[in-house]
């Protein structure tokens, strides 16, 4: 039992070090023009395979065509964090997690929404949501959302939580032009 506890904590510390090192890379964004449909299709398919989930749990809604101007590795890290959080908190039914691409009201910007049908974020935690080392998970590092926001900002994008019930709803505003 003691060995398992040590191993679990060692893995957690390893993830934390990895996350902190990722912060250092945020200032080296290498934005590229990414076809939004192709990139998001590929990402969702990869996530389904890695997480071994039924294909209908994640709904991909591509309502506009366009280009995402973003560092592909940074975008992957952001989406990975947001969708894995959504999977952890959702009901794991058809359409429990939605990834939606729409045109933003802001010019030359696309809006990427990641939503789940879980309980959402309690009101008392909203102010701390993007703080480093804040977590509600015993195995979490508390760096996932913080790093995701930092990576978004390094790419001249914005990541925010949208208060809509039920479930959690994160929005990334991404430039569609250099």
């Amino acid at each position: 039992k003691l060995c398992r506890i040590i191993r679990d904590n060692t893995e957690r510390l390893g993830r934390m070090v990895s996350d902190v090192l990722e912060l250092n890379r945020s200032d080296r964004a290498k934005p590229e023009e990414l076809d939004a449909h192709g990139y998001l299709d590929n990402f969702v398919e990869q996530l389904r395979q890695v997480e071994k989930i039924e294909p209908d749990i994640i709904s991909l809604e591509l309502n506009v065509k366009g280009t995402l101007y973003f560092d592909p590795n940074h975008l992957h890290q952001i989406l990975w964090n947001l969708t894995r959080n959504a999977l952890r908190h959702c009901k794991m039914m058809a359409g429990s997690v939605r990834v939606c691409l729409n045109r933003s009201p802001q010019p030359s910007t696309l809006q990427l929404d990641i939503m789940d049908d879980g309980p959402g974020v309690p009101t008392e935690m909203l102010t701390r949501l993007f703080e480093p080392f804040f977590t509600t998970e015993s195995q979490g590092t508390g760096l996932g959302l913080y790093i995701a926001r930092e990576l978004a900002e390094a790419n001249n994008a914005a990541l925010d939580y949208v208060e809509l019930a039920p479930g959690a709803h994160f929005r990334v505003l991404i430039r569609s032009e250099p």
Side-chain angles (χ1 to χ4, degrees):
K1 182 178 176 181
L2 185 57
C3 285
R4 189 186 79 233
I5 291 169
I6 292 169
R7 184 186 68 237
D8 290 349
N9 280 307
T10 302
E11 289 173 4
R12 189 170 80 64
L13 287 170
R15 283 194 314 272
M16 194 177 297
V17 168
S18 176
D19 288 346
V20 169
L21 290 173
E22 188 64 39
L23 278 177
N24 185 41
R25 293 184 198 112
S26 70
D27 64 345
R28 294 183 288 205
K30 296 178 188 149
E32 298 176 16
E33 288 186 14
L34 307 170
D35 170 62
H37 282 216
Y39 186 89
L40 294 171
D41 276 333
N42 184 46
F43 174 81
V44 169
E45 184 55 37
Q46 180 185 16
L47 180 70
R48 287 173 177 148
Q49 290 177 9
V50 170
E51 293 297 314
K52 297 177 178 65
I53 58 171
E54 294 296 320
D56 63 349
I57 290 175
I58 299 176
S59 167
L60 181 58
E61 302 167 23
L62 303 173
N63 301 315
V64 296
K65 288 189 181 277
T67 300
L68 304 172
Y69 193 70
F70 217 96
D71 182 308
N73 294 321
H74 290 177
L75 185 56
H76 185 273
Q77 180 73 28
I78 292 167
L79 291 175
W80 191 258
N81 182 291
L82 296 176
T83 52
R84 294 216 38 231
N85 281 352
L87 286 169
R88 188 169 44 250
H89 297 288
C90 78
K91 296 176 183 172
M92 295 301 279
M93 298 169 43
S96 281
V97 175
R98 294 174 53 214
V99 177
C100 306
L101 181 68
N102 293 293
R103 186 139 334 270
S104 168
Q106 297 179 16
S108 303
T109 305
L110 295 177
Q111 177 177 302
L112 185 58
D113 293 297
I114 296 89
M115 301 167 275
D116 68 61
D117 62 0
V121 177
T123 306
E124 63 273 8
M125 292 183 186
L126 289 176
T127 58
R128 301 191 64 203
L129 197 57
F130 293 98
E131 284 182 12
F133 304 108
F134 174 73
T135 184
T136 58
E137 297 290 320
S138 62
Q139 296 297 315
T141 64
L143 290 170
L145 290 175
Y146 173 74
I147 289 172
R149 182 177 260 181
E150 291 292 313
L151 292 175
E153 290 174 1
N155 285 272
N156 296 315
L159 168 60
D160 286 303
Y161 183 77
V162 180
E163 288 187 65
L164 293 175
H169 182 159
F170 288 89
R171 176 168 291 153
V172 186
L173 297 177
I174 302 174
R175 292 179 302 136
S176 58
E177 297 177 0

